[in-house]
Amino acid sequence: LMFRLYGDPAAPKAFHAEMHRAFMDYEYKGSNFCQSRADPCVYVMRCDDDSVLASCIFVDDSCNTFKLDTGAHDAYKGFVAFLKTRFRLKDDTDGMELVRSFLGMNVTWAEDGSWVRIDQPLAIDKLVNGSGVNSAIPRHTPLPPGTEIMLTDCPDLTTVEGKEEAQLMKTRPYRKRVGELLWISRISRPDISAAVSRLSTVCN
């Protein structure tokens, strides 16, 4: 199945169905995984000692959370062994290392586990360099205070100047940049979310 994963339009659905079947078939001391209604790629198991094992799937990668030395910890180890009977896993550590990166996010842990930091320097660098503003002067606010963004700011196609401006805008990947900003604001930079929300209102 993994060999079909890339390039075949039907592969993502087929692979998700296979992964879903594996989650639903696994049982640990009477506990089973439940698929999240909010996000079908998240599965949660509540063990008999009230510990929780959560697993987030993205294509063929997963990020799992549980408290050490609990039923969820044992359930996770059993689940990895169960997955090995169905898939060839690349991870030789059975996933027992702290996550350091996932979906472009960097994850930094305190030595005592008291805090965790999530940031996205590579995504931000890619956005800045791709936009050609890497030499711009930094600002502390995402948009100048009081900035209003309205449809009337768009080119007026009834004028020659507006048509020229519209042609120029066609060469600017505005929607792509807003999409990148939405991802960054949602994950690690909530301070820019209000500005990004305003920018996204004129994507058309």
Side-chain angles (χ1 to χ4, degrees), residues 113-182:
S114 60
W115 56 263
V116 61
R117 183 181 74 217
I118 297 176
D119 54 24
Q120 298 171 285
L122 294 179
I124 293 173
D125 286 346
K126 179 182 176 183
L127 170 64
V128 170
N129 292 328
S131 301
V133 295
N134 47 322
S135 60
I137 300 173
R139 290 286 183 264
H140 294 291
T141 53
L143 281 177
T147 300
E148 293 294 337
I149 299 173
M150 299 172 286
L151 289 175
T152 52
D153 296 324
C154 297
D156 182 359
L157 299 181
T158 62
T159 65
V160 175
E161 295 81 4
K163 290 179 180 178
E164 291 176 353
E165 188 177 351
Q167 284 299 117
L168 176 65
M169 287 300 294
K170 285 183 179 181
T171 66
R172 303 290 191 266
Y174 184 77
R175 289 186 197 178
K176 177 182 179 181
R177 299 298 177 225
V178 170
E180 291 171 326
L181 285 168
L182 281 168

Side-chain angles (χ1 to χ4, degrees), residues 13-34:
K13 184 177 181 181
F15 185 72
H16 176 71
E18 194 70 24
M19 284 297 298
H20 176 75
R21 195 174 301 116
F23 274 94
M24 294 296 100
D25 288 348
Y26 179 66
E27 180 180 337
Y28 174 78
K29 294 184 179 180
S31 298
N32 298 88
F33 276 107
C34 293

Side-chain angles (χ1 to χ4, degrees), residues 3 34 55 73 76 113 126 132 140 145 192 198-199:
F3 296 106
C34 293
S55 183
H73 184 184
Y76 173 72
K126 179 182 176 183
H140 294 291
I192 68 170
R198 291 184 181 181
L199 294 173

Side-chain angles (χ1 to χ4, degrees), residues 35-51:
Q35 187 178 31
S36 168
R37 293 183 179 181
D39 188 333
C41 294
V42 175
Y43 294 84
V44 178
M45 175 188 288
R46 185 172 296 279
C47 299
D48 53 4
D49 61 352
D50 282 335
S51 59

Side-chain angles (χ1 to χ4, degrees), residues 46-118:
R46 185 172 296 279
C47 299
D48 53 4
D49 61 352
D50 282 335
S51 59
V52 176
L53 167 61
S55 183
C56 176
I57 304 297
F58 184 79
V59 190
D60 57 344
D61 291 322
S62 71
C63 183
N64 305 276
T65 64
F66 53 85
K67 190 173 182 180
L68 292 175
D69 302 320
T70 62
H73 184 184
D74 293 334
Y76 173 72
K77 290 188 288 187
F79 184 54
V80 172
F82 176 75
L83 287 178
K84 285 183 175 180
T85 66
R86 299 197 178 193
F87 304 98
R88 283 185 293 174
L89 304 186
K90 292 181 179 179
D91 190 351
D92 295 330
T93 66
D94 288 345
M96 289 304 298
E97 291 184 350
L98 287 176
V99 63
R100 302 293 180 187
S101 65
F102 189 65
L103 304 185
M105 298 175 281
N106 282 3
V107 184
T108 305
W109 300 83
E111 289 186 11
D112 61 357
S114 60
W115 56 263
V116 61
R117 183 181 74 217
I118 297 176

